[in-house]
């Protein structure tokens, strides 16, 4: 066998001498078996982080009025949602409120980061030109980038294709104290994969259950999941594509493939509706955002994030005792 990769039989060193227990040998020194090193791991972890052994429960989602929450376990009629809905709100008022909601998000994010016990995952899905990038810019403006991580998922790389379909998403989920944003997400594997026929039907159909299990694992680990589907009309998409073609400053955003994808509009709507219905659960419900009006979309998403963070009620941890009496030396 090639020595280039250092391969040899399990339990057999390169020299050919048999070793009974490789855990007893490390750089010529005797050590206890690796399992013994974990004997007091729970105590050590608890000592470093008193709350580390807790099982924080994800907080309830608090949808803003105007959003359409998809009921778990039912067939969802996406066509029944008015994409031009404005909730009877005034645009100027909503834009002023958006600034206030952003300030709330920023304040609560600081507490979430300092507390470092739970996390928030924001999932954004939409058809092409649906407004995912614009929503991120408008809603998270001013949020400390140290506590917010955005992951954009495009065509899988060869390495990602060598793993299960959830692998590339799982390691981008937010750690404790973080807000994570998925610009496109694990739902691509029951959307574009389905519409383009990239895998057999039996494969993508089985993924609904895997997605639900994945999201349940996250919520049971203390991650609150906000899933927004930005719903626009076919007419609105046409206007946005034409605007990109007409404005040289927006040519970089235009992809001729979008025109090809537009031909599959009906197929995508069916795929979206199925994903929303099959994967809206009590712990991670889908929220449909009427998104033709960008100002209404931004307000709804921002208020929902702020209200949900407030329901999570993150708290600054206690500082060192007697800190008030300390003096900084000259």
């Amino acid at each position: 066998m090639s020595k280039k990769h250092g391969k040899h039989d399990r339990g057999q060193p390169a020299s050919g001498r048999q070793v009974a227990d490789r855990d007893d040998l490390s750089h010529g020194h005797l050590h206890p078996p690796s399992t013994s090193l974990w004997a007091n791991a729970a105590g050590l972890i608890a000592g470093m982080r008193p709350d580390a052994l807790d099982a924080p429960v994800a907080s309830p989602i608090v949808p803003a009025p105007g959003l359409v929450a998809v009921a778990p376990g039912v067939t969802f009629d996406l066509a029944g949602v008015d994409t031009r809905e404005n909730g009877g709100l005034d645009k100027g008022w909503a834009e002023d409120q958006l600034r206030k909601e952003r300030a709330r998000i920023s304040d609560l994010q600081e507490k979430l980061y300092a507390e470092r016990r739970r996390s928030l995952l924001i999932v954004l899905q939409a058809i092409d030109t649906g407004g995912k990038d614009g929503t991120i810019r408008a809603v998270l403006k001013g949020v400390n980038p140290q506590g917010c991580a955005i992951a954009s998922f495009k065509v899988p790389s060869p390495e990602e294709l060598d793993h299960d379909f959830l692998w590339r998403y799982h390691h981008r989920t937010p750690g404790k104290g973080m807000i994570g944003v998925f610009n496109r997400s694990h739902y691509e594997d029951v959307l574009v994969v389905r519409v383009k026929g990239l895998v057999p039907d039996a494969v993508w159909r089985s993924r609904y259950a895997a997605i639900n299990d994945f999201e349940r694992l996250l919520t049971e680990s203390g991650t609150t999941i906000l899933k927004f589907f930005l719903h626009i009309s076919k007419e609105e998409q046409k206007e946005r594509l034409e605007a990109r073609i007409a404005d040289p400053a927006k040519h970089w955003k235009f992809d001729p493939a979008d025109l090809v994808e537009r031909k599959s509009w009906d197929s995508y709507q069916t795929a979206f509706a199925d994903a929303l219905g099959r994967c809206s659960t009590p712990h991670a419900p889908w929220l449909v955002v009427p998104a033709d009006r960008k100002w209404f979309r931004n307000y709804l998403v921002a208020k929902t994030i702020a209200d949900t963070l407030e329901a999570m009620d993150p708290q600054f941890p206690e500082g060192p005792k007697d800190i008030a009496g300390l003096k900084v030396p000259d």
Side-chain angles (χ1 to χ4, degrees), residues 55-239:
V57 178
S59 298
I61 309 302
V62 186
L67 287 174
V68 178
V70 179
V74 301
T75 301
F76 185 69
D77 181 15
L78 191 56
V81 179
D82 182 3
T83 60
R84 294 197 61 77
E85 176 63 54
N86 65 7
L89 302 180
D90 174 74
K91 180 179 179 181
W93 178 89
E95 290 178 339
D96 182 59
Q97 286 298 120
L98 173 61
R99 288 187 285 272
K100 296 178 181 179
E101 299 300 344
R102 282 200 301 247
R104 290 176 65 208
I105 293 171
S106 182
D107 290 344
L108 290 161
Q109 178 269 332
E110 183 180 11
K111 292 180 179 180
L112 183 74
Y113 185 78
E115 182 188 67
R116 201 178 175 188
R117 290 191 64 245
R118 296 161 294 172
S119 58
L120 176 67
L121 174 61
I122 301 166
V123 175
L124 296 175
Q125 284 290 159
I127 202 162
D128 294 328
T129 76
K132 298 179 296 297
D133 293 343
T135 299
I136 293 170
R137 287 195 302 270
V139 171
L140 297 177
K141 181 179 180 180
V143 173
N144 190 334
Q146 290 187 99
C148 184
I150 299 171
S152 297
F153 297 100
K154 301 186 184 299
V155 177
S157 68
E159 181 185 15
E160 290 168 340
L161 289 172
D162 282 342
H163 294 78
D164 66 272
F165 83 98
L166 287 170
W167 179 80
R168 67 171 180 155
Y169 306 106
H170 202 162
H171 80 286
R172 299 298 299 275
T173 56
K176 295 183 186 302
M178 295 292 292
I179 294 177
V181 182
F182 279 6
N183 184 346
R184 298 185 186 273
S185 69
H186 41 295
Y187 284 92
E188 292 296 295
D189 286 275
V190 291
L191 295 171
V192 64
V193 167
R194 168 182 175 173
V195 173
K196 290 182 173 295
L198 300 180
V199 298
D201 286 5
V203 173
W204 60 257
R205 288 185 188 279
S206 69
R207 289 176 175 173
Y208 294 125
I211 287 172
N212 290 340
D213 288 342
F214 171 57
E215 293 178 352
R216 186 175 64 253
L217 169 65
L218 295 181
T219 57
E220 289 175 351
S221 301
T223 299
T224 296
I225 305 175
L226 282 174
K227 301 188 297 191
F228 297 103
F229 177 67
L230 310 179
H231 187 32
I232 64 171
S233 64
K234 191 174 184 180
E235 293 73 24
E236 180 67 18
Q237 187 193 56
K238 184 175 187 295
E239 290 182 13

